[in-house]
Amino acid sequence: MTAGAPADPRPAAEIGTGTSANSRERILARIRSAVAGAPDAPITRSYRTSPEATDVIGLFAERVADYRAVVHVVDGSEAAATIRAAMARQGAVRLVVPDGLPAEWAPDDPVADDPRLTAAELDAVDGVITGCAVGIAETGTIVLDAGPGQGRRALTLVPDYHLCVVRADQIVAGVPEAVARLDPARPLTWISGPSATSDIELNRVEGVHGPRTLEVVVVR
Amino acid sequence: MSGAGTFLGMPAFPHNAAAAVQDSQLRFNLRKATHTIRGKRAAVVGELPDWAELRRAGKEIKDHTLRHLDRYLLQLEEAVTAAGGHVHWASDAKEANRIVADLVKATGETSVVKVKSMATQEIGLNEALQEEGITAYETDLAELIVQLGDDWPSHILVPAIHRNRAEIREIFQEKMAEWGRAAPEELTDEPRALAEAARLHLRERFLSTKVAVSGANFMIAETGTLVVLESEGNGRMCLTLPETLISVVGVEKLLPTWRDLEVFLQLLPRSSTGERMNPYTSTWTGATEGQEFHLVLLDNGRTDVLADEVGRQALRCIRCSACLNVCPVYERAGGHAYGSVYPGPIGAILTPQLRGTASAIDASLPYASSLCGACFEACPVAIDIPEVLVHLRGKVRHARAERLGMRAAGWIFDRPSRLARVQRLGGRLRRFVPGRLPGPLSAWTDTREIPDIPAESFRDWWNRTDGGAR
């Protein structure tokens, strides 16, 4: 397809530092003259910061299911059995298990990400099982922050099946509470249902490049 | 808006629109698509009791950011650098393309995968990289359809909205093999089968490509965090698997604080796809999980827009496309008629400001609207698009005949006595007024009826009959 491009001999960090430095000053100067004398714009925050929700767990389960994900709400004592039954239904045997996942949730024959699995190895496993950082009831969203039991971002992306366990105390009512709980320094992935596209005549098709099946177990 | 030589030779909007409305397939596709998204959006916006308050906060946060843009850009630069990323500044398209090409060359690679990005389309990055011997592979399904079909995007959110399933199947079967893995022999035109073909076509590329190029929906000045919203997972593939990530982002995409996301992660998905939340949102701060990260901050005309007191509100735009989906003009003319990567109402105010109004297409854009105001109502950051359209109409250079006609009209309306004299003359000569005006004035009568001229003006009648009493 392409002719070979000669490698630029400079280290990447230095690229653009010559003209770019001039552009930096030019852009900043243009901004300053453009807004000079403009009035300050105060910000009013009269929107809801903690929505009233009587049954956040029920709402969360309902909203996740709306995205055509499979949802189970179970007591702690049933979690392990629910996970095993889900794997059997999916026909998933080899699941990647990130560091820090509670032992009772882990399958008998876990695939560890140590040494780091290559993308091709991830592509070949049956799926992945993780915990999460936060669940949002109003939008049916799960947020992963690469913390314990979640692993790096590629683990929940390349395999075709993602089984996610959400503890009831991780579920908040709305988006503002979730943003407040999360640490921006960590890489975050917000997941709302399986991957989807509506690019062809606006017909929603689940399962494009991310996992085609998302299964969620909410543990009370 | 230099660099994208995209549509600059295009004829003006009315010409393009006149051709587009003859295409019944296009009109059918557009009507179906815009009405579907419109309905979904209304439903999920109606779910939130505080939509008006969120919209107000969104508008004010953006206005505040633009007012202090210099300060917030410096804060962002510091935070990204502290987190191990590299920040580059680009005044225009040419410079941005140069920086990206050099960064790719420094890795020794000759191909990149791309996340759907308006900014890189605006600067014509794919074409610029091609000239340097670097192939850019689009990975969003619709962008892939557009790229394989050697076509232009026609919608901000669903760029291939003008293509139906049969056309897409044809494009995949004819073109996929040239770009990589061929389409399956037995490919049907079922959306599910087409999406599967795209998954297979791109899978190998995702797992092996070393460099990715993205845009961003938001940048957080306080923390140096970048945010990308998407649906398919191609964005996550590009953002997480390659060793080097280069993000090209317009300077107006800033938000001051992490907390501000609580507003925009509610406004954008609901306005854009009509979902409570889009399937995937990724946030990352600087160099993440061992990646090398470069941020290219792009001006390319944005500071010109910022200098216009009325027009600067266009920089609040979060590229949701809600205005396209409610616009009666867009629904009939389609995206290509606007001659820019930014179609629809937002394109009609953004393009002439970014590119200027020297070309026929750009000078016609402020008129590509009936000023009905549906776009203003739908906009999640309350951009008063009709106000900016009218403002830009005043700035466009008008035809000589129009300028003379307006000056003459101004002179007549200036004094009641002059107006009365002209009205009496018109009344006496009304039998000689043609149905169509001659010469340059024909532009007026091509699209309008000449009103019937009465024998007597209302004012004369009132004076003659004392208001009908005599």
Side-chain angles (χ1 to χ4, degrees):
Chain A
M1 279 299 301
T2 59
D8 193 305
R10 294 169 292 168
E14 283 177 24
I15 287 168
T17 46
T19 54
S20 179
N22 299 339
S23 292
R24 178 177 185 269
E25 296 320 311
R26 195 176 322 135
I27 292 169
L28 290 170
R30 290 176 61 95
I31 291 169
R32 282 167 192 148
S33 76
V35 300
D40 197 8
I43 299 168
T44 323
R45 295 185 191 267
S46 47
Y47 51 87
R48 301 166 305 152
T49 47
S50 53
E52 303 258 322
T54 42
D55 173 22
V56 286
I57 297 169
L59 183 64
F60 176 77
E62 177 194 312
R63 294 279 156 98
V64 174
D66 264 356
Y67 296 120
R68 298 186 205 166
V70 187
V71 188
H72 314 270
V73 182
V74 299
D75 289 320
S77 57
E78 306 162 350
T82 308
I83 290 167
R84 275 173 183 54
M87 285 174 59
R89 247 194 331 274
Q90 183 66 26
V93 181
R94 297 182 64 249
L95 288 193
V96 177
V97 176
D99 254 0
L101 191 84
E104 71 266 24
W105 297 348
D108 300 328
D109 189 15
V111 180
D113 186 32
D114 183 26
R116 267 170 74 123
L117 299 161
T118 63
E121 285 168 330
L122 280 174
D123 199 25
V125 298
D126 296 332
V128 58
I129 175 168
T130 68
C132 73
V134 172
I136 308 170
E138 204 167 67
T139 60
T141 304
I142 293 160
V143 188
L144 307 180
D145 70 355
Q150 298 164 61
R152 58 194 169 97
R153 294 174 296 173
L155 299 190
T156 51
L157 170 64
V158 182
D160 209 12
Y161 172 65
H162 180 196
L163 179 56
C164 186
V165 189
V166 183
R167 292 197 324 266
D169 64 338
Q170 294 177 312
I171 300 174
V172 297
V175 174
E177 293 152 282
V179 170
R181 274 198 194 195
L182 291 160
D183 174 5
R186 308 186 69 92
L188 303 179
T189 306
W190 300 52
I191 298 172
S192 308
S195 71
T197 183
S198 299
D199 281 344
I200 301 165
E201 294 184 6
L202 289 184
N203 285 298
R204 189 178 158 101
V205 175
E206 275 83 24
V208 194
H209 303 296
R212 281 182 280 195
T213 310
L214 173 68
E215 190 152 6
V216 179
V217 178
V218 182
V219 180
R220 278 193 297 257
Chain B
M1 206 150 109
S2 60
T6 345
F7 309 90
L8 282 178
M10 270 185 97
F13 181 86
H15 176 274
N16 301 333
V21 294
Q22 300 305 317
D23 183 341
S24 56
Q25 179 70 59
L26 176 74
R27 291 190 57 173
F28 176 83
N29 290 2
L30 282 170
R31 183 180 165 78
K32 183 175 163 224
T34 53
H35 283 253
T36 306
I37 310 183
R38 210 185 285 184
K40 285 171 69 182
R41 176 193 161 273
V44 293
V45 164
E47 259 180 22
L48 291 185
D50 56 347
W51 183 257
E53 288 80 6
L54 284 165
R55 186 172 181 248
R56 178 178 176 180
K59 167 187 184 287
E60 290 175 351
I61 290 167
K62 279 287 184 184
D63 279 346
H64 169 84
T65 314
L66 291 169
R67 175 64 187 82
H68 304 286
L69 192 57
D70 54 327
R71 198 177 83 208
Y72 285 127
L73 282 171
L74 290 171
Q75 193 184 8
L76 173 84
E77 178 183 47
E78 197 177 330
V80 170
T81 309
H86 305 283
V87 179
H88 312 262
W89 301 67
S91 286
D92 56 21
K94 194 167 161 241
E95 189 175 11
N97 290 335
R98 174 81 271 142
I99 291 169
V100 176
D102 286 349
L103 288 169
V104 177
K105 284 182 180 175
T107 66
E109 296 293 320
T110 56
S111 67
V112 300
V113 282
K114 280 189 70 204
V115 188
K116 178 177 179 303
S117 139
M118 304 294 303
T120 58
Q121 278 179 7
E122 177 194 319
I123 61 176
L125 177 68
N126 294 10
E127 296 77 8
L129 289 178
Q130 194 62 60
E131 282 172 21
E132 305 268 351
I134 298 161
T135 311
Y137 293 98
E138 292 292 349
T139 65
D140 171 82
L141 178 52
E143 293 290 357
L144 179 73
I145 295 164
V146 168
Q147 184 173 44
L148 295 179
D150 198 16
D151 195 357
W152 294 114
S154 66
H155 189 283
I156 290 174
L157 172 74
V158 269
I161 199 169
H162 55 288
R163 297 285 199 184
N164 64 23
R165 60 180 71 189
E167 294 173 303
I168 294 167
R169 172 174 170 262
E170 207 170 304
I171 291 169
F172 278 11
Q173 285 194 309
E174 283 177 14
K175 300 284 184 172
M176 263 188 177
E178 287 173 34
W179 288 82
R181 182 173 172 160
E185 285 290 314
E186 303 302 301
L187 185 63
T188 66
D189 64 4
E190 273 302 301
R192 181 163 300 284
L194 295 168
E196 179 62 15
R199 178 186 172 97
L200 293 170
H201 176 75
L202 286 170
R203 193 80 178 173
E204 190 52 39
R205 179 150 296 130
F206 283 136
L207 302 188
S208 59
T209 306
K210 301 275 193 291
V211 185
V213 175
S214 85
N217 294 96
F218 306 105
M219 306 185 283
I220 312 295
E222 170 191 40
T223 59
T225 307
L226 268 74
V227 184
V228 165
L229 282 73
E230 50 140 352
S231 297
E232 296 169 18
N234 63 304
R236 289 177 68 193
M237 289 274 179
C238 294
L239 297 171
T240 57
L241 296 181
E243 294 161 8
T244 305
L245 172 61
I246 305 164
S247 300
V248 181
V249 191
V251 290
E252 84 286 11
K253 291 289 185 91
L254 264 181
L255 298 175
T257 66
W258 175 248
R259 187 193 166 179
D260 296 323
L261 276 182
E262 71 189 16
V263 175
F264 289 91
L265 288 182
Q266 296 190 78
L267 290 175
L268 181 51
R270 289 178 196 258
S271 299
S272 182
T273 52
E275 292 166 303
R276 295 187 185 108
M277 195 64 92
N278 51 295
Y280 296 132
T281 296
S282 300
T283 79
W284 73 97
T285 303
T288 305
E289 292 180 347
Q291 238 177 8
E292 183 173 315
F293 173 58
H294 294 272
L295 172 59
V296 181
L297 295 171
L298 177 73
D299 179 348
N300 204 33
R302 283 157 178 76
T303 48
D304 292 333
V305 185
L306 189 61
D308 184 321
E309 277 178 38
V310 179
R312 68 168 60 129
Q313 56 183 311
L315 295 177
R316 292 205 295 259
C317 175
I318 54 175
R319 311 282 190 265
C320 73
S321 70
C323 61
L324 279 62
N325 301 328
V326 296
C327 178
V329 177
Y330 175 86
E331 186 190 320
R332 286 157 184 85
H336 292 161
Y338 293 82
S340 154
V341 296
Y342 302 112
I346 187 64
I349 63 170
L350 199 56
T351 306
Q353 293 196 87
L354 288 172
R355 286 203 303 224
T357 50
S359 69
I361 179 77
D362 294 345
S364 70
L365 285 176
Y367 294 89
S369 165
S370 63
L371 300 181
C372 78
C375 48
F376 179 27
E377 215 164 302
C379 178
V381 286
I383 300 169
D384 190 343
I385 294 177
E387 181 193 23
V388 182
L389 285 166
V390 172
H391 171 71
L392 292 173
R393 288 179 186 189
K395 292 175 70 168
V396 172
R397 189 163 170 76
H398 297 259
R400 189 154 170 270
E402 190 182 346
R403 291 206 306 275
L404 287 171
M406 284 295 169
R407 206 176 306 155
W411 182 83
I412 292 165
F413 283 104
D414 203 33
R415 296 234 184 103
S417 59
R418 281 179 199 159
L419 179 63
R421 271 206 301 277
V422 170
Q423 282 174 328
R424 279 181 212 128
L425 186 67
R428 277 202 287 274
L429 299 177
R430 72 183 195 281
R431 263 169 300 146
F432 305 106
V433 174
R436 297 194 49 182
L437 294 174
L441 297 173
S442 64
W444 178 271
T445 48
D446 280 349
T447 52
R448 297 172 189 81
E449 300 278 311
I450 292 193
D452 287 334
I453 299 173
E456 184 179 36
S457 75
F458 174 80
R459 193 181 289 264
D460 284 349
W461 169 83
W462 184 277
N463 289 338
R464 186 169 55 78
T465 64
D466 192 20
R470 285 203 294 272

